[in-house]
Every structure is written in structure tokens, then in C-alpha cells.
Amino acid sequence: MERYWNQEIECMSQEDMKKLQDERLVAQVKHVYDNVKYYRDLMDEKGVKPEDIKGVDDLCKLPFLSKADLREAYPYGLLAKPLDECVRIQSTSGTTGKRVVAFYTQNDVDMWEDCVARAITAAGGTNEDVCQIAYGYGLFTGGAGLHGGSHKVGCLTLPMSSGNTERQITFMQDLGATILCCTPSYAAYIGETLHEMGLTPDDIKLKAGIFGAEPWTEEMRQSIEKSLGLKAYDIYGLTESSGPGVAFECCEQSGMHINEDNFYPEIINPDTGEVLPEGEVGELVFTSLTKEAFPLIRYRTRDLCVLSRKKCSCGRTLIKMAKPMGRSDDMLIIRGVNVFPSQIETVLIEQGYSPNYLIEVDRKNNTDTLDINVEMNPDQFSDKVKDMQEQEKDLAEAMKAMLGINPKVHLVSPKSIARSEGKAVRVIDKRKLIDNPAKK
Ligand code: ADP
Ligand code: ZN
């Protein structure tokens, strides 16, 4: 039988959920207008008053907030509570430039951990589980978020942080960890190390993995599930809206339920700002309905995805978001064609290669070049140059079919591409001086 952390909310009727969201939004808009000059100025500029917002249907009247606003307001410009009521600061991992800091009151931390507790419960976690947290601890929200959620659920929590992979496996074995939480790229690395240590999934007790903080493909999921012998659940979040736990996967493993009682999602056309109907791909925008210290209204995540209200077999009625396809600023425009690293990953794993790859983009003689370095598995290695060239050619053809452009594929020796213990770096774009419209 499906277990819920908060059945009343997770299975609430759509009508009741909307009522709750309306009430919370009205209070939230008043809170930011009264307490944050930055918002007041933005709203005044647009000629909107808090009284104009009667519920989520009025959201479109409010201005968007972008990462640039957060940087401009750094560090205290968006703070909505006095500092003496705040108990925590966390920061983004800085994947795309200057870090952003977020503030939390105790209620904010409780709400965040509660969202993570829903995720752990949806992955089958209970107080009988041993939950190994191998996300980085510190300013990054991964470690802190999963740690807090694990405590809430009552799991025996193993605060490993990331790194020291052999020790991770030794503890996992000795202490019988049943749930592993880390980035998917680190999970893949742990799986690889497990096999190198001469162990198999039968030697460990993992049953579930809660992996997120970076984009990963279905193919990657299957590969991790096999190498670690577990069921892999996706979890999504961003520091700006608290951290992991904004959305989480259930047993159906087809998209993540958004904790929409706390985070109201919209999908917009990233070029025009127009709100798109359910089912269309666009940029995900979140409004935090309950956060006190650092509430963001209509925050543009730059993550591209789709929302769906289709009934889920787990019984939850919370709206679902598809796996994000990547960020609008991850998208590479190569010879005019949009390319996502995730498409490349899909082809690699489908063709039996490891998920260890590095994409290099450059511009030579006014033409964009795309080089994909792919690590071979030891059994793919051949000492005949001709065989290797054949393999590279086959892979380049499969890539062309997926991407629509011709890449150069280079098969490199096993273990030659750096492994990631946190978020993986998959792309080096050397065209730095060239204007990339996707980065605006
Ligand atoms: P940074 O922007 O520095 O990476 P965060 O650590 O707060 O800061 O990361 C949040 C971002 O990570 C999200 O906006 C999204 O792009 C990505 N992300 C988080 N979880 C997932 C996930 N499950 N799938 C895909 N992308 C994710
Ligand atoms: Zn579900």
C-alpha cells in the first residue's frame, strides 16, 4: 500500500488545493509588498497593488523575478524577515555564475524538511531505513535538505557528505544502508567503484536511491538501478526556492509531484513571458506560497519542462513536472541547432557506452565544431585502430540521427574522464566570446 507523509495535502482535491493556494498567495503578496522594498518597487513600476491579487489566477499581473534580480539584491535586498528571525543561510552551487544566498526562518526549514520527508516516504522510506546522505554538506542545499528530511522520517541518518567513495561503500555495507541520496552522476560513480571493489548489488542492502540536483536521463536511471540494485527516484529543487524537495518522484517514476501547497508552478514561453497551457514545454516559474524569509514570487528557474495533471497511480493529486530537459542556459546552439547534453547522454547509454563523457564546443573557420569524448568500457577497447574507428563512426552516426548535426566522436580510454562527486561538468564551450542567445 502506498504510504504518504502528509496524505491530506498530497491527495487533496484540486479544488481544495486551489483554495489553499489562493489564500496563501494573497497573504504572501502582502507580506513581500509590506516588507521588501525591491518587490514594492517592482510592483509599483508595474502598477499592481497587493489588493489586485485575489488568487493564483491573478499571478500573471505580477512581475517576474530572475537570477539577475537576485544578484542585484545580493545579499539582503530580498530578505522579508528581520535577520534575528532567520536561522540559516544556504547558497547555490554556482553552476552558472555568481552564487545566490537564501535565508530561512525556523518555519522555512521545517517546511523544506517536510517536503523532503514526503520525497523519502514516496521512495518507500520509513523509520526502519538507514539513509546514507552522499550529497555535499555545507552551503549547498543537497546535504542539508536530505539530512533534515531523513531525520523527520526517522530514518537512521548517515551524514557521509560526498567523496571518499570506497569509504562510502564500506559504510554502506557495514551499516546496512537501504537508501542512498546523492547526485545521479555520483551514484553512477559509486556503482562503478562497487564493481571495481569486486562487490555486487547482492553485497549491499540498498533498495532506493533519491537522486537529483542535476539533469539525468531515463537511460542513466536504468544503468544506475542495475549497478546498485535499487529503484532510483528523481528529486528536484533549487536553492532559491529552499532546496531539493520542491518536487519528487513516486513509485510510478514518470515525472515528479510538485509540492504545490508551497511552490506554485507556471510554465512560460521564455521569450515572451506568456503563460503556456498545461502540456506545453517552456520555462518553469515558481512562486513560494509559504516561505517567510526569502519568498520568491514568479521566479524564473530557466529549467525547461512540462507540467501534467494526469491522474497518477500513486494516489497523489499534486501536479507533476516532467524531468527537466536541462536549463535554457545549458542548451547549446551548434550550427544553429539546439543541442542538450541530455540527448547525447541518451545515445551513449543506448549504444552501450558509459555515462562518462565530455562535450567540447568550439568555433573554427567560422563554423561551430562539436567534439564528444566518450569513455570506453574495458570490454569495448580494441587494440586494432580500424575497429576503434568503426566504433567511432557508428556512434557519430547514432548521434547525428538524434541531434541533426554531425559531431566528431573520440573514444578515450577507460577512467580518463574525471568523475564527479557532486554535479557533473559535461560541457566545455570554447566559443566564449561569441554571443550565445541561449545565455541571455
Ligand atoms: P546552481 O544553479 O548553482 O546549480 P542549485 O544547486 O540551487 O544551484 O541548483 C538548482 C538547479 O539544479 C535547478 O534549477 C536545476 O537546473 C538543477 N536541478 C536540480 N534538480 C534537478 C533534477 N532532478 N533534474 C534536473 N535538474 C535538476
Ligand atoms: Zn504519483
Side-chain angles (χ1 to χ4, degrees):
M1 210 192 73
E2 187 71 27
R3 278 215 186 88
Y4 310 98
W5 178 251
N6 183 340
Q7 185 164 7
E8 192 194 332
I9 290 282
E10 292 174 63
C11 302
M12 188 174 256
S13 75
Q14 213 176 310
E15 203 189 344
D16 288 349
M17 178 58 73
K18 182 161 184 301
K19 236 186 263 159
L20 184 67
Q21 291 169 330
D22 286 345
E23 272 166 31
R24 288 180 167 179
L25 181 70
V26 169
Q28 185 68 293
V29 171
K30 189 171 177 324
H31 171 55
V32 297
Y33 192 85
D34 291 347
N35 296 296
V36 185
K37 181 175 179 305
Y38 200 96
Y39 272 114
R40 203 156 49 239
D41 290 349
L42 279 181
M43 283 174 62
D44 287 347
E45 216 174 278
K46 243 194 148 202
V48 208
K49 292 275 169 243
E51 309 77 83
D52 299 330
I53 308 301
K54 302 208 164 52
V56 292
D57 293 336
D58 293 323
L59 253 185
C60 57
K61 297 179 183 162
L62 291 165
F64 289 113
L65 203 69
S66 69
K67 198 129 180 165
D69 290 302
L70 267 57
R71 289 186 179 135
E72 194 182 317
Y74 175 93
Y76 301 122
L78 287 166
L79 194 61
K81 280 280 181 186
L83 275 181
D84 62 4
E85 287 184 40
C86 296
V87 298
R88 179 91 65 82
I89 294 177
Q90 303 274 175
S91 169
T92 58
S93 51
T95 313
T96 54
K98 194 176 162 195
R99 286 166 181 256
V100 161
V101 289
F103 300 84
Y104 305 71
T105 61
Q106 186 57 50
N107 286 338
D108 292 338
V109 173
D110 285 340
M111 179 275 282
W112 176 21
E113 293 178 354
D114 206 72
C115 289
V116 178
R118 294 182 195 173
I120 295 174
T121 308
T126 68
N127 61 351
E128 290 179 5
D129 282 292
V130 178
C131 187
Q132 178 159 349
I133 320 272
Y135 281 107
Y137 277 63
L139 281 171
F140 173 53
T141 52
L146 270 299
H147 183 95
S150 171
H151 269 240
K152 277 237 151 125
V153 174
C155 301
L156 180 56
T157 308
L158 245 172
M160 296 293 294
S161 195
S162 59
N164 212 332
T165 309
E166 291 200 2
R167 192 182 63 186
Q168 298 270 1
I169 293 168
T170 307
F171 268 91
M172 189 181 281
Q173 254 195 313
D174 294 351
L175 302 173
T178 50
I179 301 178
L180 174 66
C181 308
C182 59
T183 60
S185 51
Y186 193 39
Y189 181 23
I190 294 176
E192 195 180 19
T193 309
L194 180 88
H195 292 265
E196 279 168 14
M197 288 167 75
L199 301 170
T200 72
D202 291 338
D203 298 309
I204 52 173
K205 291 205 181 132
L206 291 180
K207 62 174 192 193
I210 303 178
F211 306 133
E214 62 182 357
W216 52 311
T217 56
E218 274 309 315
E219 291 74 15
M220 180 92 155
R221 186 208 304 267
Q222 281 158 26
S223 144
I224 296 172
E225 288 190 332
K226 204 163 135 232
S227 74
L228 287 171
L230 48 69
K231 190 162 169 174
Y233 296 83
D234 202 354
I235 185 166
Y236 169 91
L238 57 165
T239 313
E240 294 90 321
S241 59
S242 66
V246 169
F248 62 96
E249 232 171 27
C250 61
C251 54
E252 225 189 55
Q253 291 179 305
S254 63
M256 292 176 269
H257 289 287
I258 298 176
N259 284 312
E260 59 176 318
D261 52 323
N262 296 308
F263 307 102
Y264 186 84
E266 295 171 278
I267 293 282
I268 62 160
N269 174 329
D271 299 323
T272 61
E274 175 204 357
V275 179
L276 298 175
E278 185 193 315
E280 284 193 30
V281 182
E283 179 178 351
L284 188 56
V285 171
F286 277 115
T287 294
S288 31
L289 298 172
T290 47
K291 270 178 68 182
E292 299 178 338
F294 197 68
L296 298 185
I297 308 283
R298 299 197 94 197
Y299 180 65
R300 295 183 59 156
T301 63
R302 299 187 288 182
D303 291 323
L304 297 174
C305 90
V306 186
L307 297 179
S308 161
R309 280 236 175 249
K310 229 175 95 204
K311 197 161 179 273
C312 188
S313 63
C314 75
R316 288 178 186 79
T317 47
L318 298 171
I319 194 168
K320 277 162 97 168
M321 60 183 267
K323 249 180 181 318
M325 299 166 59
R327 307 188 199 204
S328 52
D329 41 3
D330 277 344
M331 186 177 81
L332 297 159
I333 300 184
I334 304 170
R335 284 169 239 153
V337 176
N338 299 347
V339 173
F340 282 97
S342 58
Q343 295 174 297
I344 293 175
E345 183 176 299
T346 298
V347 176
L348 286 180
I349 301 180
E350 264 173 14
Q351 301 286 320
Y353 288 88
S354 77
N356 298 305
Y357 60 97
L358 185 68
I359 302 162
E360 288 180 90
V361 189
D362 204 350
R363 177 166 272 196
K364 287 176 190 143
N365 302 326
N366 286 322
T367 307
D368 294 331
T369 57
L370 170 61
D371 288 80
I372 308 174
N373 301 293
V374 182
E375 230 178 61
M376 284 171 290
N377 294 318
D379 58 330
Q380 287 162 327
F381 187 75
S382 161
D383 46 13
K384 291 199 195 98
V385 176
K386 202 155 169 275
D387 287 353
M388 301 294 292
Q389 284 172 340
E390 281 294 309
Q391 287 189 55
E392 285 176 341
K393 209 176 121 231
D394 289 349
L395 191 50
E397 263 167 30
M399 289 286 174
K400 174 147 197 260
M402 167 68 102
L403 309 174
I405 54 167
N406 240 327
K408 257 208 194 109
V409 170
H410 311 272
L411 292 177
V412 300
S413 45
K415 296 295 232 179
S416 60
I417 293 177
R419 300 292 186 268
S420 160
E421 294 169 353
K423 299 197 188 205
V425 177
R426 309 277 196 202
V427 182
I428 300 178
D429 193 339
K430 296 178 179 160
R431 304 169 299 179
K432 278 191 190 117
L433 296 173
I434 297 161
D435 197 16
N436 179 347
K439 302 234 159 169
K440 272 185 195 157

